[in-house]
Amino acid sequence: MEDMPSIYIIGAQCTGKTTLVEAVSRHIRRERSHLSFTIIKELARGVLVTADVNRDDIRAGTEKAMNFQRLVLKTQLDEEQKLQNRGFIISDRSGIDPIAYANLYGPPQATTEMLGSSSWAALRKRMCQSIVILSEPVLPWLFDDGVRLMPEDISEWFALHNAFISLLQQSEIKFESLPATCNVIEKRVAFVLEAWETRAKQAASVTASAQETRDLSSAAATTSQL
């Protein structure tokens, strides 16, 4: 079985993440049916209910809202660990998403604490080994579903997007920016798949080089003993 990297679709609200996760998943099931993978759906909404937090709390940056973001981070790790023996994952959001929200709406120490947590250390390692797609805001897609936190204006929406970029760079996580101009689902799926295949080839090349180095070292050790 091919050892394929996981896929994280991340970004601000209303940037087409869930639709893209579903479309990419359908394509892989149809075209690469021999591959084993699982989908991690958006976890924050479920945590929102159990934590008794609303979007006004998040915007106000209350301690209850920061505890919510910490819980989302921990829940993401729990879900990934639970699924680690079922092939790669395709995740709707990631561990960096709650940190981005905390970064924009909470006190600076909340971001520092989350970045220094063991949960983030484990999730960051996983993301570094995967393909991370950051979806840029597409202006016509911004709508209020009555649950998600909505930006008060376009500048706030882009401020959240820029928080993602800053945190990814700070965490030294490579990512691909899915441009707003790529707004047709077929093209968006193709963008993700191309990045995914490229990442898989790079990982395979690194593994092959490491194996070659081990083989040469073993051969040299054997020769020295003769």
Side-chain angles (χ1 to χ4, degrees), residues 5-8 89 125-132 174 199:
S6 291
I7 302 171
Y8 293 88
I89 64 170
K125 182 177 180 180
R126 291 169 179 269
M127 293 179 72
C128 285
Q129 297 169 344
S130 307
I131 178 69
V132 179
K174 294 181 179 180
R199 181 70 178 83

Side-chain angles (χ1 to χ4, degrees), residues 88-100:
F88 66 93
I89 64 170
I90 303 177
S91 185
D92 185 348
R93 295 164 180 75
S94 72
I96 209 165
D97 292 61
I99 304 177

Side-chain angles (χ1 to χ4, degrees), residues 17-200:
K17 298 182 295 295
T18 300
T19 300
L20 183 55
V21 165
E22 292 171 351
V24 168
S25 301
R26 286 195 301 269
H27 180 94
I28 294 175
R29 283 199 183 101
R30 184 177 65 248
E31 303 296 334
R32 306 284 290 275
S33 58
H34 63 288
L35 293 179
S36 176
F37 71 93
T38 52
I39 301 171
I40 296 182
K41 297 183 178 181
E42 179 189 357
L43 300 171
R45 293 199 183 204
V47 178
L48 197 69
V49 175
T50 59
D52 189 29
V53 174
N54 59 47
R55 56 189 186 177
D56 292 331
D57 293 325
I58 296 173
R59 170 166 278 109
T62 64
E63 182 58 24
K64 182 167 70 170
M66 294 303 100
N67 286 334
F68 159 72
Q69 303 295 4
R70 296 182 188 103
L71 184 55
V72 173
L73 181 68
K74 179 64 167 55
T75 302
Q76 179 76 27
L77 177 59
D78 290 345
E79 191 70 11
E80 291 194 26
Q81 289 179 330
K82 183 175 70 176
L83 299 172
Q84 63 185 356
N85 295 322
R86 302 185 188 178
F88 66 93
I89 64 170
I90 303 177
S91 185
D92 185 348
R93 295 164 180 75
S94 72
I96 209 165
D97 292 61
I99 304 177
Y101 278 90
N103 180 264
L104 183 61
Y105 297 107
Q109 61 266 29
T111 302
T112 301
E113 177 192 332
M114 293 175 76
L115 287 173
S117 68
S118 58
S119 293
W120 172 240
L123 288 167
R124 176 189 172 277
K125 182 177 180 180
R126 291 169 179 269
M127 293 179 72
C128 285
Q129 297 169 344
S130 307
I131 178 69
V132 179
I133 305 293
L134 177 62
S135 186
E136 292 184 357
V138 181
L139 293 180
W141 293 357
L142 186 62
F143 73 97
D144 189 350
D145 64 359
V147 178
R148 75 180 87 198
L149 174 65
M150 293 299 293
E152 292 183 337
D153 52 35
I154 298 301
S155 63
E156 182 180 317
W157 198 26
F158 277 89
L160 180 57
H161 175 69
N162 289 331
F164 273 94
I165 295 175
S166 177
L167 289 166
L168 287 165
Q169 293 174 339
Q170 181 180 341
S171 300
E172 299 182 328
I173 297 174
K174 294 181 179 180
F175 65 97
E176 300 289 337
S177 288
L178 178 54
T181 52
C182 184
N183 53 21
V184 177
I185 190 60
E186 291 81 7
K187 292 182 178 180
R188 292 170 70 83
V189 169
F191 181 96
V192 173
L193 293 175
E194 182 179 355
W196 181 58
E197 295 282 2
T198 299
R199 181 70 178 83

